[in-house]
Structure formats: structure tokens, C-alpha cells
């Protein structure tokens, strides 16, 4: 019996030691990983790779360490070594961002066909992965394939409605096709996130241009008709009104245009646009919050005046935020 008890105690000590050793290794790996990411963010790519290699000595298939190593190598311009890391991941694990890493490398090489194949392989295993769709949108835009870029950006928005840059991609791709209703609402949504002034100023200028510019000569007949409707609605909304500030004028025009787009949403041929953008901005136009909304998105057009105005409307801003949280948007 004593021998049996000693045997149990020995096994218990071995198991306990093994668990403690595993926990120690995990803690060390996590620490090295954090150090590597910090070094990478500081642009010290070689030092970051060294940290990941320490992890990989004991955990050669550690997916996170392999991915971060590939990311740092790619940033350092060592694309062939980075490819080896990402390909090792894709051969052993369903890790969507490894496909993003591979596709981005081939994008940078101008090998768009191979890049596309990796995006599609990633999407096949993770159809709701925002990174895959967003980077695919960027790739298409780089190739001036704007309809495909817009479509991919729409999928990125469906996957992650809080991803700011997807709205910008969607809007720019639509704008470059002369499809200004989509561009206008995409930019309006982008600006709602409160993007920095150096980014919002350009977006605001495009919004103003859409409201007053005739359709492009090479735009399709439907796009021309829609743009003419936008310009006409904006013009009529402020006709005869005097002493308007630039933001007041923009508020009145956007209200009219959002309403017009909502009434014509069936003409756009995109359920996603109609339900996610047209319906939502139509509701904002019909609410009591267009003043707050426009002063917020148009801060960069007149920073001092708009910020001063918003400072005196804190209760209205809170009410608008509460209202926004009650609004459901359909992505499908």
C-alpha cells in the first residue's frame, strides 16, 4: 500500500510539473509575442523577427508567431521569407489573415492574378472575414476595377459595419464610376465616424461637389438621371433662402437629397444600397437631428463655427446618439 501511495504521489508530481512547465512556456511565449509586436510597430523588424523565432524554437507551428513573423518580414521587404511563413500557416490551419498576407505580397508585386487566387481561397474558408474583403477592395481599386472594388467594400461593410475605411473605399469606388448617390451616402456614413480633419476635409469637399455638379459625360444613363435628380433637389431646397451659413445650406440640401434618394431607392439595383444606406439616411432626413448630424460631419469645413455650435447642443447630441442606437440597418 505504501508503494502504491508513493507511485501515486510520484505521478501527481510529474503531472503538476508538466502543467507548470506548460504554463511557464505559455507565459514566456505570450511575453515574447507582445515584445515582437511592440518592436514591429516601432519599425524594428529584425528585432521583432528574433522574438518570434524564440517562440518558434519550442513551438514551430505556433500560428500567431508565424503570422507575426511573416508580417514583419513583409514589412521589411523580405517577401520570399514572408511567403514561406504564410504558406506554412495555410498548409496546417484555417487562418484567414495568412491569406491576406500572401495576397498583399503578390499585390505589391503586381501579380494581381495570384493575389486574387489567395483572396478567394481565404474567402472560401472565411466568407465573413472583413480583412479579406477590404484588402480585396483595395486590390481592385489599384487595378482601376471600380465596380469590383465597390462590391468587395460592400461585403467588408456587411462583415464589419464599424470598419471606417470600408465606407471610404465603397464611396470612392462609386464616385469614380460616376455613381454619386452611392458615393454621397457612403461618404456621409464615413464622416459619421468622426474621422480626423485631414481626412474628413477631402470627403466633405466631394460631398459638396456631388450636390452641385452636373453628371459626367461618360456616366451611364441611369447614373446621369440620378445625378441630375440630386443636383435639382439640392438647388430647389435652398432656392430663395438667404443669409444661410455654409453648414445651414448643407443641412437643407442634404435633407432634401437623402429624402429623394430614399424615394428612388428601387432604381439603384442594389438591395444592399437601398436597405443599408438609402433607408437609413432617409430616416435621418425625416428625424429632428439633421442639424446635429450635419454640423458634426462638416466640422472640417468650418471648424471654429461648427465646434462652437456643437458645444452648445450637448443635449441634442445625446438625444441623437440614443436615437441612432435604436435604428436597425439591414445588410442583406
Amino acid at each position: 500500500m505504501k508503494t502504491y501511495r508513493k507511485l501515486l504521489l510520484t505521478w501527481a508530481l510529474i503531472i503538476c510539473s508538466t502543467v507548470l512547465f506548460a504554463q511557464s512556456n505559455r507565459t514566456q511565449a505570450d511575453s515574447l509575442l507582445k515584445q515582437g509586436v511592440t518592436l514591429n510597430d516601432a519599425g524594428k523588424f529584425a528585432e521583432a523577427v528574433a522574438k518570434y523565432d524564440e517562440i518558434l524554437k519550442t513551438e514551430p507551428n505556433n500560428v500567431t508567431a508565424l503570422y507575426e513573423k511573416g508580417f514583419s518580414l513583409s514589412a521589411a521587404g523580405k517577401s520570399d521569407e514572408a511567403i514561406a511563413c504564410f504558406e506554412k500557416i495555410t498548409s496546417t490551419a484555417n487562418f484567414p489573415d495568412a491569406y491576406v498576407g500572401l495576397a498583399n505580397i503578390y499585390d505589391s508585386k503586381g501579380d494581381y492574378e495570384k493575389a486574387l487566387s489567395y483572396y478567394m481561397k481565404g474567402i472560401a474558408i472565411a466568407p465573413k472575414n472583413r480583412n479579406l474583403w477590404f484588402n480585396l477592395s483595395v486590390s481592385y481599386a489599384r487595378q482601376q476595377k471600380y465596380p469590383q472594388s465597390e462590391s468587395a467594400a460592400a461585403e467588408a461593410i456587411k462583415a464589419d459595419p464599424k470598419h471606417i475605411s470600408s465606407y471610404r473605399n465603397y464611396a470612392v469606388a462609386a464616385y469614380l464610376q460616376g455613381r454619386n448617390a452611392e458615393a454621397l451616402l457612403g461618404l456621409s456614413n464615413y464622416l459619421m465616424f468622426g474621422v480626423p480633419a485631414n481626412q474628413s476635409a477631402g470627403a466633405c469637399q466631394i460631398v459638396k461637389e456631388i450636390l452641385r455638379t452636373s453628371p459626367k459625360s461618360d456616366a451611364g444613363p441611369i447614373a446621369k438621371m440620378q445625378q441630375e435628380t440630386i443636383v435639382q433637389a439640392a438647388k430647389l431646397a435652398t432656392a430663395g433662402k438667404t443669409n444661410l451659413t455654409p453648414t445651414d445650406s448643407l443641412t437643407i440640401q442634404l435633407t432634401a437629397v437623402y429624402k429623394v434618394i430614399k424615394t428612388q431607392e428601387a432604381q439603384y439595383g442594389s438591395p444592399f444600397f437601398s436597405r443599408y444606406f438609402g433607408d437609413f439616411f432617409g430616416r435621418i432626413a425625416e428625424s429632428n437631428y439633421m442639424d446635429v448630424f450635419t454640423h458634426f460631419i462638416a466640422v472640417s469645413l468650418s471648424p471654429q463655427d461648427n465646434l462652437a455650435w456643437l458645444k452648445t447642443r450637448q443635449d441634442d447630441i445625446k438625444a441623437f446618439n440614443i436615437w441612432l442606437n435604436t435604428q436597425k440597418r439591414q445588410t442583406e
Side-chain angles (χ1 to χ4, degrees):
M1 181 64 72
K2 287 182 178 179
T3 302
Y4 179 66
R5 285 181 179 173
K6 285 182 179 178
L7 186 62
L8 285 178
L9 181 60
T10 301
W11 275 111
L13 288 171
I14 290 171
I15 291 169
C16 184
S17 298
T18 302
V19 170
L20 289 172
F21 179 72
Q23 289 176 340
S24 175
N25 277 357
R26 181 79 270 127
T27 302
Q28 184 181 15
D30 289 344
S31 175
L32 287 168
L33 195 63
K34 288 178 183 177
Q35 292 174 47
V37 170
T38 300
L39 288 165
N40 178 85
D41 291 346
K44 298 179 179 179
F45 305 121
E47 292 92 331
V49 168
K51 297 296 180 183
Y52 305 134
D53 280 339
E54 286 188 54
I55 300 171
L56 294 169
K57 284 177 186 176
T58 54
E59 299 178 40
N61 292 317
N62 185 308
V63 171
T64 306
L66 280 168
Y67 173 76
E68 294 296 346
K69 179 181 177 180
F71 189 81
S72 291
L73 287 167
S74 180
K78 297 181 177 181
S79 58
D80 290 341
E81 293 177 54
I83 287 171
C85 290
F86 294 137
E87 285 185 339
K88 183 173 182 179
I89 296 171
T90 60
S91 68
T92 59
N94 288 340
F95 193 76
D97 281 349
Y99 290 97
V100 176
L102 285 164
N104 281 343
I105 288 171
Y106 286 107
D107 259 337
S108 66
K109 290 174 177 284
D111 190 344
Y112 299 121
E113 186 176 342
K114 198 154 189 176
L116 179 61
S117 74
Y118 280 114
Y119 285 126
M120 292 298 103
K121 286 176 183 177
I123 288 168
I125 66 168
K128 299 294 184 182
N129 184 278
R130 177 257 287 173
N131 285 342
L132 283 161
W133 285 113
F134 173 71
N135 281 276
L136 177 58
S137 173
V138 173
S139 177
Y140 278 133
R142 193 176 287 138
Q143 300 170 64
Q144 299 183 355
K145 294 181 177 180
Y146 300 121
Q148 295 92 327
S149 179
E150 179 190 344
S151 179
E155 294 300 324
I157 292 167
K158 293 176 189 178
D160 182 3
K162 294 182 179 179
H163 187 236
I164 301 173
S165 296
S166 292
Y167 291 94
R168 183 191 60 215
N169 275 26
Y170 176 88
V172 171
Y175 182 68
L176 292 171
Q177 296 172 73
R179 297 176 53 241
N180 287 346
E182 289 88 342
L184 176 65
L185 300 197
L187 288 172
S188 296
N189 212 132
Y190 170 68
L191 290 165
M192 278 182 65
F193 285 99
V195 295
N198 63 334
Q199 298 172 32
S200 65
C204 283
Q205 289 299 335
I206 294 175
V207 166
K208 289 177 66 178
E209 183 180 325
I210 289 172
L211 295 174
R212 66 178 181 232
T213 305
S214 298
K216 295 179 180 179
S217 59
D218 58 348
I222 294 177
K224 280 185 180 180
M225 180 191 68
Q226 291 165 350
Q227 179 58 15
E228 287 168 356
T229 302
I230 288 171
V231 172
Q232 187 68 8
K235 189 180 294 185
L236 288 173
T238 50
K241 293 181 172 65
T242 57
N243 300 320
L244 294 173
T245 68
T247 306
D248 288 340
S249 178
L250 185 61
T251 301
I252 294 167
Q253 291 184 338
L254 284 177
T255 302
V257 171
Y258 290 165
K259 287 180 178 179
V260 165
I261 291 174
K262 179 172 169 49
T263 61
Q264 296 182 344
E265 59 185 16
Q267 298 178 16
Y268 294 95
S270 167
F272 169 69
F273 173 73
S274 299
R275 294 171 186 169
Y276 191 76
F277 287 107
D279 180 67
F280 176 69
F281 282 98
R283 277 181 271 153
I284 292 181
E286 291 163 358
S287 74
N288 296 320
Y289 303 111
M290 275 302 295
D291 271 344
V292 172
F293 169 80
T294 311
H295 279 82
F296 180 75
I297 69 166
V299 164
S300 62
L301 296 179
S302 184
Q304 189 172 350
D305 292 340
N306 285 334
L307 288 172
W309 189 95
L310 288 166
K311 191 174 182 179
T312 65
R313 304 298 200 285
Q314 293 302 305
D315 289 342
D316 291 337
I317 293 170
K318 289 177 184 177
F320 182 40
N321 281 324
I322 292 170
W323 181 86
L324 283 174
N325 288 330
T326 68
Q327 302 304 302
K328 294 184 178 180
R329 301 175 71 176
Q330 291 182 299
T331 57
E332 300 291 346

